[in-house]
Amino acid sequence: MSRKKSVTILEDAGQTIHIRRRRGLKTLRIAVASDGQVTVSAAKLVPMFLIKRFIVRQRAWIEAAQERFRAAGRQPRLSGEERRRRFVEHRDRAARLAEDRVRWFSEQYGFDPGPIAIRDQRTRWGSCSARGALSFNYRIVFLPERLADYIVAHELCHLRELNHGPRFWQLLESILPDAELRREALRSLSLLDTGHGDGL
């Protein structure tokens, strides 16, 4: 017969920690996954204050393990609260950047964009709807200017070519002759370790 496990979510130092209750355990155990997720396994009767104290004492080990994964190109998960805080903190600056560059490219190349939205997207730097609405990831504020420009130009080109066919790439390269180099530089960066979406 399988043993049942229950999971409790604990917020600690800006990250989510999973507390798994398991029968038969005699000691507290801690594990850090390759994406930085921390899980503590404990017997059902161990009080939460002991688990919290255990986490505090293991914090240096946790951070060292997460740093090893970061060095290997993996990123730790943020808690929902921390993700929301970062998004709110940088959203307005991202909106100003996107609006400024959309305006510049539109004036230079005759695009007619729809509304612009800034989002906390897990898998995309940007997107363009069939109705011309543009969406950009708030993390564009952390990119070099040439890569942020690539994202903006890429999405604007979708206003005329809503796919990634040959005519799309020809249009993009007519605006950014080194588009392929910028694309490769962008793809070398990690966006939540889940890829870049939208063929960027």
Side-chain angles (χ1 to χ4, degrees):
M1 183 175 65
S2 63
R3 295 178 176 178
K4 294 182 179 180
K5 295 183 291 183
S6 60
V7 179
T8 301
I9 304 300
L10 176 67
E11 301 290 335
D12 178 77
Q15 64 180 315
T16 299
I17 295 181
H18 289 175
I19 311 299
R20 295 186 180 275
R21 298 288 188 170
R22 302 178 60 182
R23 296 176 182 176
L25 284 184
K26 295 182 179 180
T27 60
L28 291 169
R29 299 178 182 175
I30 192 165
V32 178
S34 61
D35 62 1
Q37 176 63 60
V38 180
T39 301
V40 174
S41 298
K44 289 183 176 295
L45 297 181
V46 176
M48 185 59 72
F49 82 90
L50 286 180
I51 295 175
K52 290 180 178 179
R53 188 170 69 183
F54 174 70
I55 292 170
V56 170
R57 290 177 175 175
Q58 296 295 323
R59 193 168 286 156
W61 180 87
I62 292 171
E63 292 174 354
Q66 290 174 332
E67 179 57 36
R68 288 195 296 273
F69 288 126
R70 277 194 293 269
R74 306 292 291 184
Q75 295 294 324
R77 295 181 185 178
L78 299 176
S79 68
E81 179 181 347
E82 178 64 12
R83 282 192 62 196
R84 177 65 181 171
R85 185 194 67 76
R86 292 191 182 189
F87 173 62
V88 171
E89 178 182 355
H90 299 290
R91 176 179 52 196
D92 290 346
R93 187 158 63 98
R96 290 193 296 270
L97 170 63
E99 289 166 1
D100 177 69
R101 300 314 292 157
V102 166
R103 184 183 309 112
W104 188 88
F105 279 108
S106 296
E107 291 174 353
Q108 296 295 315
Y109 298 99
F111 291 110
D112 184 21
I116 299 171
I118 301 299
R119 306 186 190 283
D120 178 10
Q121 297 163 305
R122 290 177 176 270
T123 60
R124 291 175 179 246
W125 286 109
S127 62
C128 176
S129 75
R131 296 185 177 181
L134 301 175
S135 178
F136 297 100
N137 195 307
Y138 82 92
R139 294 172 184 81
I140 63 172
V141 299
F142 304 121
L143 293 175
E145 181 178 329
R146 62 190 295 269
L147 299 187
D149 274 357
Y150 172 85
I151 293 169
V152 171
H154 182 113
E155 300 309 333
L156 284 170
C157 285
H158 279 312
L159 295 174
R160 297 177 186 170
E161 298 292 336
L162 199 59
N163 55 48
H164 290 114
R167 297 200 314 183
F168 170 84
W169 297 112
Q170 290 170 5
L171 174 60
L172 181 57
E173 289 174 2
S174 72
I175 297 171
L176 300 175
D178 63 343
E180 182 61 25
L181 293 177
R182 299 193 198 203
R183 179 172 182 254
E184 290 304 313
L186 185 63
R187 288 173 65 86
S188 71
L189 302 177
S190 173
L191 178 55
L192 301 184
D193 242 0
T194 55
H196 305 286
D198 193 37
L200 286 173

